[in-house]
Amino acid sequence: MFPKGLIVTQAPARTDILATAREQVLERGEGLSEAQVLEVLRLDDDRLEELLALAHDVRMKWCGPEVEVEGIISLKTGGCPEDCHFCSQSGLFQSPVRAAWLDIPSLVEAAKQTAKSGASEFCIVAAVRGPDARLLAQVAAGIEAIRNEVDIQIACSLGMLTQEQVDQLAAMGVHRYNHNLETSKSHFPNVVTTHTWEERWDTLRMVRAAGMEVCCGGILGMGESLEQRAEFAANLAELEPDEVPLNFLNPRPGTPFGDLEVLPASEALKSVAAFRLALPRTILRFAGGREITLGDLGAKQGILGGINAVIVGNYLTTLGRPAEQDLDLLGELQMPIKALNSTL
């Protein structure tokens, strides 16, 4: 019993974050804020199925059922002067990857094989701080040779750019440029020390201004806190990229992050859904590390939990799933592959 005359007030019940997300994101198309993403990331695992279902509903409403398929190839592998702690292509680490260049005929053949998988996008990647004149000349020759034989969109990922280089790539007809922020602004100095987060941001700003689509994502599981993961989602929402590739750390021997533990599958799936709720209209692409982090079942859950694009085949220095497996899975889930003519 309370003393007579004492007025007792109860604190208002806390609104459930998934109920909030359903009204805010699914109904209105407004992405979750950083604080709201953190609430999602902190959900108990017994809410995972409900979370993934909501993320899937958001993807279907604001992006549709189509899945964009992409293949990637490394034009210049290894020997990079940067110290990205997750990357076995850094020339500063004792990793087994050695510097190598791919010739133009091999580049064209890779593009042909990618197109045969039904992919609409082929990305030329180079392990560099930024492209020099030799690399840009090789890219230009490669793009011309591919266009002569393959009907496919061409993207590039060549590191940090100057305004002149951005203009050159735009003139070559590059459809989309990938340059990942990798992680949140606050965590970045723990991941890379040879350049800054702001330098990457400046490249992305110039790419967008030049009329190319912006592809920007990162790697989850690099020792970041849940708060920093939510911060990263907010960083990306501010950037408003056309595509966000989500990678999961696959610890590589010889790198500073080689001994980190693989992200638990439930945490990875929770992150996929949270990023979808933060970026309801964005192409959200499964990229590296999903095989070791999620396995076959997790891949299916991710595609039914917000993902609407995949990289098929192998990655830059690690093996992926055979393209046929991913394509069969999309067929099983009745997810049509995005046709090239719809991207032109």
Side-chain angles (χ1 to χ4, degrees):
M1 293 293 294
F2 295 102
K4 189 174 181 181
L6 179 65
I7 300 175
V8 179
T9 59
Q10 290 184 329
R14 186 177 182 183
T15 304
D16 178 71
I17 185 57
L18 294 188
T20 298
R22 182 168 295 279
E23 193 277 330
Q24 177 180 325
V25 187
L26 181 60
E27 300 303 327
R28 304 204 310 267
E30 298 175 10
L32 295 186
S33 67
E34 181 177 341
Q36 290 172 321
V37 169
L38 182 57
E39 281 191 69
V40 170
L41 293 173
R42 286 175 170 167
L43 285 171
D44 292 336
D45 286 355
D46 61 8
R47 304 289 305 278
L48 179 59
E49 187 175 336
E50 181 186 359
L51 169 61
L52 292 173
L54 174 58
H56 178 66
D57 289 345
V58 167
R59 168 264 173 112
M60 293 294 285
K61 178 168 183 178
W62 297 108
C63 299
E66 289 186 324
V67 176
E68 184 180 289
V69 176
E70 178 184 43
I72 61 175
I73 191 71
S74 183
L75 177 59
K76 188 263 179 183
T77 302
C80 182
E82 305 304 291
D83 74 344
C84 305
H85 292 9
F86 54 84
C87 186
S88 58
Q89 299 202 64
S90 172
L92 304 178
F93 308 143
Q94 295 300 315
S95 65
V97 176
R98 294 294 173 258
W101 284 76
L102 191 69
D103 59 38
I104 299 300
S106 298
L107 194 66
V108 173
E109 181 58 29
K112 287 181 177 179
Q113 294 304 315
T114 297
K116 285 181 181 178
S117 74
S120 59
E121 194 91 12
F122 181 68
C123 188
I124 301 171
V125 183
V128 291
R129 175 184 175 88
D132 58 15
R134 175 195 177 193
L135 177 56
L136 282 178
Q138 191 86 340
V139 168
I143 289 175
E144 182 179 6
I146 290 169
R147 288 226 168 95
N148 287 335
E149 298 196 42
V150 188
D151 186 17
I152 197 166
Q153 292 278 27
I154 298 174
C156 286
S157 181
L158 311 173
M160 292 173 287
L161 303 173
T162 64
Q163 184 62 60
E164 181 182 2
Q165 291 167 337
V166 169
D167 294 340
Q168 286 178 279
L169 290 171
M172 291 177 202
V174 171
H175 167 243
R176 186 179 292 166
Y177 193 80
N178 165 258
H179 192 50
N180 290 337
L181 288 171
E182 304 300 6
T183 191
S184 67
K185 186 175 182 178
S186 68
H187 189 52
F188 191 85
N190 301 315
V191 178
V192 183
T193 68
T194 48
H195 60 266
T196 66
W197 193 89
E198 287 80 7
E199 286 177 283
R200 291 185 176 233
W201 185 275
D202 288 344
T203 287
L204 294 161
R205 178 182 51 79
M206 289 188 289
V207 164
R208 160 146 309 131
M212 288 181 279
E213 289 191 1
V214 173
C215 170
C216 178
I219 305 174
L220 305 182
M222 296 194 295
E224 74 277 3
S225 64
L226 292 184
E227 288 81 3
Q228 288 169 324
R229 206 169 292 164
E231 178 195 347
F232 183 36
N235 295 150
L236 291 171
E238 180 183 354
L239 179 65
E240 296 183 323
D242 299 278
E243 173 187 343
V244 171
L246 278 183
N247 300 268
F248 305 98
L249 182 68
N250 184 349
R252 307 315 300 154
T255 66
F257 287 170
D259 294 327
L260 289 182
E261 293 185 3
V262 172
L263 200 65
S266 61
E267 198 171 329
L269 288 169
K270 213 175 291 181
S271 299
V272 166
F275 275 65
R276 169 52 69 203
L277 297 179
L279 302 156
R281 294 175 174 81
T282 301
I283 297 170
L284 197 59
R285 186 181 299 277
F286 256 158
R290 62 187 168 104
E291 296 79 14
I292 188 173
T293 304
L294 298 172
D296 291 345
L297 178 60
K300 182 176 181 178
Q301 288 177 295
I303 292 172
L304 292 176
I307 291 292
N308 66 327
V310 294
I311 292 176
V312 294
N314 295 330
Y315 304 107
L316 300 178
T317 61
T318 58
L319 297 176
R321 286 157 52 94
E324 295 77 13
Q325 286 188 19
D326 280 326
L327 299 178
D328 288 346
L329 176 60
L330 295 178
E332 175 192 337
L333 299 177
Q334 298 184 333
M335 299 289 178
I337 296 173
K338 186 175 183 178
L340 176 62
N341 59 14
S342 69
T343 69
L344 295 178

